[in-house]
Amino acid sequence: MIKFFRNIRKSLLAEGKTSKYLKYAIGEIILVVIGILIALQINTWNQEHNNRKLEKEMMASIHSEFKNNLTKIETSIVQYYKTEQAIRFLMSKIKASSEELKTENIDSLLAAAVDVYEYHPTQNILTEILSTGSLNLIKNDSLKYQLLHWSGEFNELNEAWETLDDFNQHMVIPYLTKKASMKNIDKYSLMAWEEKSKFEIDYESVFNDLEFENHLDNLGWAVVNYRIVLKRLEKLIKQIIELTHD
């Protein structure tokens, strides 16, 4: 085809038809430009088609990942509500008599109060999207905002957990190690001891100790704070699930 056009140009020049040659040359340039523009447009269409396909795949992956996270966080919220109730009940027994305390299973309540765990959502898909810059492929601005907002909320959850874990590991459990029987408490936890400790525990003195009350209060505050952040994260997860729903 190129050889054909070249022969035409040579013929026009040889016949001295300069004006026709110029018109022809301009026309040829226009045709070339149009061809390039069409090729670019086709390439743009193809790229857009590929982007939308990738976006659809990402949306489906995010949807699946956050549905799994929702199930786990709902379980955590229920568990932390039970933990809070155990702490509130223990607090209600402050200054109680030995006879009254013996009517309650204090060890199981203490186990429920201190047996806390960290919520770990799955973030593999989201991490990959953010690290590769693929977030720009998502057209839904609300979804992009919520996915970016997730990082900030999750960081706050980590801070809340660090506070809770610090109170529990460095205040409450060391106190109970000195004043109570961890074996009796762990009977209602992972160890599930069949026999109780052979040591007699004086819970009346524990529940008449201001330090114990303060430890319970600090632990309770941290548990409630962690549950509040979990609830905020749960709301955000539900919004992301809704925005990625096909």
Side-chain angles (χ1 to χ4, degrees):
M1 183 63 73
I2 295 175
K3 185 177 181 181
F4 173 74
F5 286 129
R6 187 184 296 120
N7 290 334
I8 293 175
R9 291 198 301 268
K10 286 182 178 179
S11 176
L12 290 172
L13 287 173
E15 294 175 6
K17 299 177 181 179
T18 306
S19 61
K20 286 186 178 183
Y21 170 79
L22 291 174
K23 291 178 181 179
Y24 173 81
I26 293 172
E28 187 178 344
I29 292 171
I30 292 173
L31 286 174
V32 171
V33 171
I34 291 174
I36 292 173
L37 291 175
I38 291 174
L40 289 173
Q41 186 62 49
I42 291 173
N43 183 66
T44 300
W45 286 339
N46 289 336
Q47 187 62 50
E48 182 66 16
H49 174 74
N50 291 334
N51 287 346
R52 297 291 65 80
K53 182 180 178 182
L54 287 173
E55 180 189 23
K56 188 174 182 180
E57 291 173 354
M58 282 193 300
M59 298 274 274
S61 297
I62 293 170
H63 187 81
S64 177
E65 184 167 77
F66 277 82
K67 282 196 73 174
N68 180 52
N69 288 338
L70 179 61
T71 300
K72 290 194 291 186
I73 202 170
E74 287 174 340
T75 301
S76 292
I77 289 171
V78 170
Q79 181 60 46
Y80 273 97
Y81 177 77
K82 293 178 179 178
T83 301
E84 178 190 344
Q85 294 309 305
I87 293 171
R88 289 185 182 278
F89 188 83
L90 288 168
M91 188 68 84
S92 73
K93 297 301 177 181
I94 294 295
K95 287 284 187 177
S97 65
S98 177
E99 290 74 19
E100 182 180 354
L101 291 173
K102 286 178 180 178
T103 64
E104 306 293 345
N105 192 337
I106 300 299
D107 294 320
S108 68
L109 290 166
L110 288 171
V114 301
D115 190 18
V116 294
Y117 60 92
E118 186 177 7
Y119 167 67
H120 288 288
T122 304
Q123 301 187 89
N124 297 332
I125 300 298
L126 180 58
T127 300
E128 182 179 355
I129 289 172
L130 295 176
S131 63
T132 59
S134 300
L135 186 66
N136 293 327
L137 296 177
I138 297 177
K139 284 192 170 184
N140 191 318
D141 290 334
S142 295
L143 176 58
K144 285 195 285 188
Y145 172 79
Q146 299 295 4
L147 291 175
L148 291 172
H149 186 47
W150 165 270
S151 298
E153 287 290 345
F154 188 64
N155 288 337
E156 188 167 343
L157 183 69
N158 286 336
E159 292 177 5
W161 167 255
E162 288 175 2
T163 300
L164 170 57
D165 191 49
D166 183 62
F167 281 149
N168 198 36
Q169 297 294 332
H170 298 108
M171 296 181 185
V172 180
I173 291 180
Y175 177 89
L176 293 176
T177 301
K178 293 179 180 179
K179 302 287 187 176
S181 166
M182 294 307 297
K183 181 179 181 180
N184 290 348
I185 294 171
D186 285 340
K187 177 182 179 181
Y188 303 94
S189 186
L190 292 176
M191 294 304 297
W193 296 107
E194 294 183 2
E195 296 180 354
K196 294 187 66 175
S197 171
K198 294 180 181 180
F199 292 92
E200 289 293 327
I201 305 302
D202 181 14
Y203 273 131
E204 184 176 12
S205 65
V206 172
F207 279 81
N208 278 273
D209 187 357
L210 177 61
E211 184 180 357
F212 177 64
E213 181 184 66
N214 288 337
H215 287 327
L216 274 184
D217 179 73
N218 286 331
L219 181 62
W221 181 93
V223 165
V224 171
N225 180 57
Y226 193 68
R227 184 168 60 82
I228 288 173
V229 183
L230 280 173
K231 288 291 292 182
R232 286 210 310 266
L233 213 58
E234 178 193 33
K235 181 179 178 181
L236 182 56
I237 289 173
K238 288 180 177 179
Q239 290 174 337
I240 292 173
I241 290 173
E242 180 63 27
L243 290 169
T244 55
H245 181 68
D246 188 2

